[in-house]
């Protein structure tokens, strides 16, 4: 119980009061909720709108390349929702991750109008405040504390991630992967993604913020992940993302864009390497 480190940077604008990050053995990477309301202030209309948002997101995410936004309700009961799956995840895993995220939100963010759920394969956010197209300076990073890389490799790795910061916003789905050959030390792999509601310049700023926040604290590790409100980055010494050359499945998968191909099964390894942990949480 010593080898994992979670670093959380959060200048919460409205998400102030609870965050969880208990177990990385599955896809769960953490969550933030606005405090839940009591029975007298939680209206049926809000609950109905939240249910409608969740249902609409779940029904549509796989038909829109793994990204969807929607709203339900009017005025003070209005709820805004966004779901996005990681760009390499199959439709099946996207659907599963989406369901899992909704379940976590309803457990942890009970009677809360604002929630963010970070899963390794998907990202869910809903709120009673409009947030589409806006990224925020809140983020966290996960890494294996003992898995330190050689300095020259780490600096090349960081440079690769810096390149991803500038190339990802130019990609059609603001999702990109990268590979680095470090000779005898093997290879390093990087991936970055912004939520697709962000403008390209905001996507770049969001990723830049992540790397600036965490490059010094986790950049010397062989593997790390950084999750923000609007974008995320992943880095490791094995190919943790699925192969883009893998043929698409029929059915649901055919709805997905070229960036979303069948999951190759490699990630199971990644999840296992993320099991034991201790946390450092800076608020
Ligand atoms: C709130 O409502 C639920 C469902 O009606 C009930 O089970 C719960 O006890 C209530 N909580 C409070 C604090 O009144
Ligand atoms: C769906 O996700 C859950 C939680 O991450 C996982 O335990 C389960 O194995 C997944 N199911 C499939 C079919 O991938
Ligand atoms: C969202 O809900 C919170 C809690 O009820 C409330 O304080 C806030 O004013 C609401 N924001 C908007 C934009 O309605
Ligand atoms: C992915 O592609 C690489 C390079 O072609 C290959 O070595 C590897 O076995 C593939 N992985 C899977 C899971 O198909
Ligand atoms: C962390 O890295 C060390 C060194 O490579 C490894 O022995 C250990 O199993 C890793 N721990 C986890 C939880 O991945």
């Amino acid at each position: 119980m010593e080898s994992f480190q979670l670093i959380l940077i959060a200048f919460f604008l409205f998400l102030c009061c609870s965050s969880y990050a208990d177990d990385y053995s599955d896809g769960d990477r953490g969550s933030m909720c606005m405090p839940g309301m009591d029975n007298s202030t939680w209206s049926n209309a809000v609950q109905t709108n939240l249910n409608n948002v969740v249902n609409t997101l779940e029904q549509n995410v796989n038909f829109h390349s793994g990204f969807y936004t929607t709203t339900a309700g009017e005025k003070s009961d209005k709820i805004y929702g966004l779901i996005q799956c990681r760009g390499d995840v199959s439709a099946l895993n996207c659907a599963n991750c989406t369901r899992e995220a909704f379940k976590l939100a309803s457990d942890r963010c009970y009677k809360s109008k604002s929630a963010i759920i970070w899963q390794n394969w998907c990202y869910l956010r809903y709120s009673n405040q409009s947030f589409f197209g806006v990224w925020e300076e809140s983020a966290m990073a996960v890494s294996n504390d003992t898995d330190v890389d050689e300095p020259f490799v780490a600096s090349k790795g960081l440079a690769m991630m810096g390149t991803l910061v500038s190339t990802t916003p130019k990609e059609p789905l603001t999702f990109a992967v990268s590979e680095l050959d470090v000779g005898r030390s093997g290879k390093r792999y990087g991936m970055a993604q912004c939520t697709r509601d962000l403008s390209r310049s905001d996507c770049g700023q969001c990723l830049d913020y992540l790397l600036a926040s965490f490059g010094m604290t986790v950049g010397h590790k062989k593997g790390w992940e950084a999750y923000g409100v609007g974008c995320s980055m992943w880095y490791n010494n094995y190919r943790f993302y699925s192969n883009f050359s893998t043929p698409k499945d029929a059915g649901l998968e055919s709805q997905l864009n070229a960036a979303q191909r069948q999951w190759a099964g490699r990630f199971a390894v990644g999840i296992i390497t993320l099991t034991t942990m201790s946390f450092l949480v800076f608020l």
Side-chain angles (χ1 to χ4, degrees):
M1 295 299 287
E2 67 296 299
S3 52
F4 248 83
Q5 200 175 59
L6 171 82
I7 301 166
L8 182 62
I9 295 187
F11 307 101
F12 302 155
L13 298 178
F14 66 96
L15 293 150
C16 60
C17 300
S18 56
S19 69
Y20 299 76
D22 296 318
D23 185 6
Y24 291 109
S25 59
D26 55 14
D28 186 13
R29 293 295 186 271
S31 51
M32 291 200 292
C33 323
M34 198 168 74
M37 320 202 47
D38 60 27
N39 283 354
S40 59
T41 47
W42 181 254
S43 75
N44 287 337
V46 171
Q47 186 64 58
T48 304
N49 293 338
L50 191 51
N51 293 347
N52 287 343
V53 161
V54 161
N55 289 336
T56 307
L57 292 179
E58 183 166 358
Q59 282 160 22
N60 286 282
V61 62
N62 266 328
F63 297 98
H64 296 84
S65 312
F67 170 76
Y68 206 69
T69 59
T70 190
T71 67
E74 301 283 338
K75 303 204 173 103
S76 65
D77 294 328
K78 187 166 180 176
I79 299 287
Y80 301 77
L82 177 155
I83 184 88
Q84 179 161 304
C85 288
R86 218 174 73 177
D88 62 316
V89 166
S90 73
L92 215 58
N93 284 329
C94 179
N96 190 31
C97 189
T98 299
R99 269 193 306 277
E100 195 64 24
F102 292 141
K103 208 166 74 198
L104 286 174
S106 66
D107 287 352
R108 293 176 179 172
C109 307
Y110 182 63
K111 293 199 174 174
S112 173
K113 289 180 186 172
S114 283
I116 296 182
I117 304 289
W118 286 281
Q119 296 268 90
N120 191 9
W121 288 350
C122 65
Y123 169 81
L124 167 69
R125 183 176 184 189
Y126 58 75
S127 179
N128 67 329
Q129 300 197 2
S130 171
F131 62 86
F132 299 154
V134 179
W135 71 278
E136 282 171 28
E137 294 186 337
S138 297
M140 65 173 172
V142 193
S143 67
N144 180 341
D145 215 13
T146 58
D147 217 359
V148 173
D149 222 339
E150 295 159 82
F152 89 96
V153 176
S155 81
K156 284 185 165 181
L158 275 174
M160 173 178 75
M161 297 310 277
T163 304
L164 274 180
V165 169
S166 53
T167 55
T168 305
K170 295 174 192 146
E171 293 297 324
L173 298 179
T174 57
F175 167 76
V177 297
S178 188
E179 189 178 318
L180 171 71
D181 192 337
V182 278
R184 278 192 305 132
S185 304
K187 290 189 173 181
R188 298 294 178 273
Y189 302 86
M191 181 168 73
Q193 184 175 30
C194 294
T195 57
R196 253 178 277 152
D197 57 321
L198 294 190
S199 70
R200 292 181 191 280
S201 80
D202 283 350
C203 171
Q205 282 186 45
C206 184
L207 291 170
D208 196 42
Y209 171 78
L210 276 192
L211 197 57
S213 302
F214 298 117
M216 295 296 285
T217 49
V218 299
H220 58 300
K221 309 290 175 60
K222 285 181 183 160
W224 52 268
E225 300 172 0
Y227 294 92
V229 179
C231 63
S232 304
M233 302 180 103
W234 298 258
Y235 177 83
N236 223 315
N237 64 348
Y238 64 94
R239 191 181 171 128
F240 56 90
Y241 45 82
S242 67
N243 270 340
F244 289 84
S245 56
T246 325
K248 287 185 185 183
D249 271 354
L252 262 189
E253 186 78 356
S254 66
Q255 301 289 337
L256 294 180
N257 177 288
Q260 296 202 290
R261 296 294 163 85
Q262 182 60 44
W263 178 246
R266 283 250 165 148
F267 212 75
V269 179
I271 287 170
I272 290 159
T273 67
L274 296 169
T275 43
T276 20
M277 62 209 87
S278 67
F279 302 120
L280 273 185
V281 178
F282 303 116
L283 282 174

